């Protein structure tokens, strides 16, 4: 359980990864769209998406040669939903009261 929390904390602890999460809040995006919107190199986007995926924060799917990602709607890690909510709420400068109920 402690490792689960540490994994999520590490994933959301980097400004580039929080920018990616914020971008994905509007819906699914291809890695090319992320690179363009965030002005990042392909290797940088891929490295950060790998960390976010391992933490259970994003879901990645492949369609031919293209890669798409979106915020994870569920995870085996119980720390994902509250952490994701805290990050997105914090980026909007709202003081979060409590995470939304699990779906």
């Amino acid at each position: 359980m402690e490792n689960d929390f540490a994994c999520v904390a590490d994933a959301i602890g980097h400004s580039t990864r929080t920018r990616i999460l914020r971008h994905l809040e509007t819906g699914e995006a291809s890695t090319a769209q992320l690179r363009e919107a965030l002005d990042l190199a392909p290797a940088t986007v891929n490295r950060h998406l790998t960390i976010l995926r391992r933490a259970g924060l994003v879901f990645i799917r492949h369609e031919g040669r293209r890669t798409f990602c979106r915020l994870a709607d569920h995870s085996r890690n119980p720390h994902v939903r509250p952490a994701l909510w805290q990050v997105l709420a914090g980026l909007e400068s709202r003081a979060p009261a409590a995470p939304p109920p699990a779906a």
Side-chain angles (χ1 to χ4, degrees):
M1 189 71 119
E2 186 176 320
N3 287 340
D4 291 343
F5 178 79
C7 184
V8 172
D10 181 53
I12 64 174
H14 193 283
S15 62
T16 299
R17 291 191 285 273
T18 57
R19 289 174 55 210
I20 290 171
L21 292 171
R22 180 74 171 138
H23 186 82
L24 293 177
E25 187 179 24
T26 61
E28 184 177 71
S30 69
T31 54
Q33 290 169 323
L34 285 175
R35 288 192 307 262
E36 184 176 318
L38 303 175
D39 194 28
L40 297 170
T44 301
V45 170
N46 292 337
R47 182 179 72 243
H48 289 297
L49 284 175
T50 297
I51 293 167
L52 291 168
R53 181 187 54 80
R54 287 181 181 158
L57 293 165
V58 298
F59 174 77
I60 296 175
R61 71 177 179 88
H62 302 279
E63 190 174 289
R65 294 181 55 159
R66 297 182 67 187
T67 301
F68 295 88
C69 50
R70 62 177 168 81
L71 295 178
D73 51 0
H74 66 282
S75 176
R76 292 182 205 166
N77 184 338
H79 303 289
V80 167
R81 189 172 184 80
L84 185 56
W85 189 82
Q86 291 280 345
V87 167
L88 296 176
L91 290 172
E92 292 177 3
S93 298
R94 293 183 290 173

